Amino acid sequence: MSKGRTRILLIAGFVAVVGTVVAIAFFGGAFRRDRPYATRIVYVSPPPVQPVPSIEPTVEPLPTVEPRVEPKTDENRPEATPHASSSEARLLIPVAGVMANELQDTFNDARAEGRVHNAIDIMAPRGTPVLAATDGTILKLFWSERGGNTIYQLGTDGRTVYYYAHLDRYADGLTEGGTVRRGATIGYVGDTGNAGSGNYHLHFAIYIVDDPKRYWDGQPINPYPLLKGVESR
């Protein structure tokens, strides 16, 4: 082979190699630009979250409602206001037919031997029914020099004693230990004991005892304020 032809072949081979390298470089770059995983991912931070302002609930005050007070009628009007020491809520004037305006307050009147009355006298004709002032139990039927025929009645509270004196006689069937209802006839007005002949009246007393067995020994309560607003029977 001649030297000229050899030179031509070398040049042609060199050109082929260079062309191949250029082609690979060109097409390889284009291939990398088309690959999906070559895409650059840019992360953008979310905007800061703004706090939501708190809203206080508005509470409207409830309207004030005045309690309804039922007017007192003759059915629910108490017949007497009890003393603070007594738990008895209802009393009856203990002599039939006597009106409240006929009562006299003789509770603090002086009596013989320096005594205080500690009771009220309810004037009425002889034989007028004497009524139980409230519900209770007959503790004692007793004759005494001062009181004559007397009755000791214990109220339902177990502490209040009602004392009826100067009775002409007891009601039929009345016995110690028996129960009586308010308004029941338990005796009759008289002048026995030291009442004085013809001075017909009921000696009525109320007192609080610590021991019902000592029914004669207690703290006196004035019956007059308890009976002055009471209707008679």
Side-chain angles (χ1 to χ4, degrees):
M1 183 178 298
S2 62
K3 292 183 181 179
R5 187 174 181 180
T6 300
R7 184 178 296 174
I8 292 171
L9 290 175
L10 289 174
I11 293 171
F14 175 77
V15 171
V17 172
V18 172
T20 300
V21 171
V22 171
I24 291 174
F26 176 79
F27 289 106
F31 176 75
R32 283 196 301 270
R33 284 194 300 269
D34 294 337
R35 285 184 299 175
Y37 52 79
T39 303
R40 182 181 180 184
I41 300 175
V42 178
Y43 293 93
V44 179
S45 299
V49 179
Q50 297 296 327
V52 179
S54 59
I55 301 176
E56 295 293 334
T58 302
V59 179
E60 295 293 335
L62 294 177
T64 303
V65 180
E66 295 294 333
R68 181 181 178 183
V69 179
E70 294 291 339
K72 291 184 177 180
T73 64
D74 289 340
E75 290 187 355
N76 59 23
R77 178 173 57 84
E79 296 191 13
T81 302
H83 189 277
S85 300
S86 172
S87 65
E88 301 297 300
R90 291 168 57 85
L91 294 181
L92 183 73
I93 295 177
V95 178
V98 174
M99 305 297 292
N101 58 10
E102 299 178 70
L103 300 176
Q104 295 184 7
D105 188 358
T106 59
F107 184 77
N108 293 312
D109 286 4
R111 289 295 186 265
E113 303 172 1
R115 294 179 294 110
V116 178
H117 195 204
N118 287 337
I120 63 171
D121 290 336
I122 304 176
M123 313 306 294
R126 179 183 180 184
T128 302
V130 172
L131 312 176
T134 186
D135 297 345
T137 304
I138 302 300
L139 282 177
K140 190 71 176 178
L141 303 178
F142 185 72
W143 169 270
S144 72
E145 182 179 351
R146 293 176 179 172
N149 290 318
T150 65
I151 297 174
Y152 292 86
Q153 176 195 355
L154 182 66
T156 55
D157 64 352
R159 296 188 60 220
T160 307
V161 172
Y162 303 89
Y163 176 65
Y164 312 80
H166 304 315
L167 300 175
D168 185 67
R169 61 187 175 91
Y170 301 125
D172 294 340
L174 192 72
T175 59
E176 293 181 3
T179 58
V180 291
R181 299 300 301 271
R182 175 179 175 275
T185 299
I186 57 176
Y188 300 90
V189 171
D191 61 353
T192 58
N194 66 358
S197 180
N199 184 24
Y200 302 114
H201 68 277
L202 173 69
H203 173 98
F204 181 62
I206 304 174
Y207 45 92
I208 304 297
V209 297
D210 293 327
D211 182 1
K213 293 180 180 179
R214 295 180 59 83
Y215 50 84
W216 64 91
D217 182 20
Q219 177 65 39
I221 294 174
N222 188 352
Y224 180 75
L226 306 181
L227 299 175
K228 66 180 180 179
V230 175
E231 296 179 359
S232 65
R233 174 174 291 187

